[in-house]
């Protein structure tokens, strides 16, 4: 198997991290891979807010906890329960991925960039997880405040988070993959 295919197969969602800072050069390499994702009509209409300071990550976590509690959405409340109120699982680094709200491809472009980050991280021995609950910040009545605090450009909204850090558990198993999702004509 070539290295890229090995990386794709081996990447797992990591939800427990060592208390160890992410190297700045590794973060830079991961963010550069995000910028090299494909985008519809080459719009590149994404923005990445990388947060390495634990107090700031905790602040964003607090915003999400508040929004989920106010939402009274049982699915979201379940996420909060499963993560013990720590949606970023004490990761030492968080990247908030934003894109242009008015572009119907915006969230798709942001997704391509997000997947590039996950794969780049795994190739560097860094654990990661795609955090969809960050999107709640973009639809909140406080969305403008959050966007200003995170330095998100006007007209853009946060869609995802990517947690990054050194995984605390070895040998994570891939959840079983659905069968019957391919046909070749
Ligand atoms: C759009 C999207 C949103 C996700 N949001 C979360 C999340 O909020 N919290 C979380 O722990 N995992 C989240 N995940 C990770 C999935 O749970 C995970 O990819 C899936 O269980 C398969 O496991 P694997 O990534 O190890 O292959 C998300 C994944 C995607 C694609």
């Amino acid at each position: 198997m070539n290295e890229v295919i090995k990386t794709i197969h081996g990447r797992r969602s990591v939800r427990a991290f060592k208390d160890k800072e992410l190297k700045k050069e590794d973060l830079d390499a991961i963010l550069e891979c995000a910028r090299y994702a494909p985008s519809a009509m080459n719009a590149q209409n994404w923005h990445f807010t990388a947060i390495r300071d634990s107090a700031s990550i905790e602040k964003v976590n607090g915003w999400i906890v508040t929004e989920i509690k106010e939402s009274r959405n049982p699915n979201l409340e379940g996420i909060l329960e499963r993560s013990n109120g720590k949606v970023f699982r004490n990761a030492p680094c968080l990247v908030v991925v934003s894109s242009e709200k008015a572009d119907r491809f915006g969230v798709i472009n942001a997704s391509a960039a997000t997947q590039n980050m996950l794969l780049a991280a795994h190739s560097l021995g860094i654990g990661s997880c795609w955090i969809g609950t960050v999107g709640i910040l973009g639809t909140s009545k406080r969305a403008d405040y959050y966007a200003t605090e995170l330095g998100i450009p006007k007209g853009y909204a946060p869609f995802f988070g990517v947690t990054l850090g050194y995984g605390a558990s070895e040998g994570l198993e891939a959840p079983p993959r659905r069968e019957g999702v391919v046909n070749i004509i």
Side-chain angles (χ1 to χ4, degrees), residues 3-167:
E3 289 306 314
V4 174
I5 294 177
K6 264 195 229 162
T7 299
I8 290 170
H9 281 262
R11 178 211 57 80
R12 292 278 69 76
S13 291
V14 172
R15 299 187 179 90
F17 296 94
K18 290 183 183 151
D19 184 16
K20 183 176 164 193
E21 203 174 301
L22 194 72
K23 281 193 220 134
K24 172 70 168 51
E25 74 226 48
D26 286 345
L27 174 61
D28 289 340
I30 291 166
L31 292 168
E32 197 60 2
C33 288
R35 294 178 56 238
Y36 272 81
S39 59
M41 289 177 289
N42 192 27
Q44 299 183 37
N45 49 355
W46 40 48
H47 184 270
F48 308 97
T49 307
I51 312 174
R52 299 173 78 213
D53 154 59
S54 57
S56 301
I57 296 174
E58 188 46 44
K59 185 167 74 174
V60 180
N61 182 72
W63 296 341
I64 292 173
V65 171
T66 303
E67 294 295 336
I68 289 179
K69 283 186 178 159
E70 285 184 11
S71 78
R72 298 186 179 273
N73 174 327
N75 290 333
L76 292 174
E77 284 169 343
I79 290 174
L80 215 51
E81 239 168 68
R82 284 194 295 283
S83 63
N84 256 328
K86 299 272 180 195
V87 292
F88 305 129
R89 314 275 181 157
N90 296 316
C93 182
L94 167 70
V95 179
V96 175
V97 184
S98 305
S99 188
E100 206 178 352
K101 283 186 278 190
D103 178 8
R104 72 189 174 98
F105 291 116
V107 68
I108 301 170
N109 298 338
S111 300
T114 299
Q115 180 68 0
N116 267 15
M117 282 195 271
L118 305 186
L119 293 175
H122 183 61
S123 77
L124 293 167
I126 293 163
S128 66
C129 192
W130 186 320
I131 307 291
T133 43
V134 166
I136 203 169
L137 301 178
T139 53
S140 157
K141 60 185 181 212
R142 305 176 191 90
D144 288 347
Y145 168 77
Y146 298 141
T148 304
E149 287 280 297
L150 293 169
I152 295 170
K154 240 191 159 21
Y156 282 46
F159 287 108
F160 312 119
V162 173
T163 49
L164 295 166
Y166 300 96

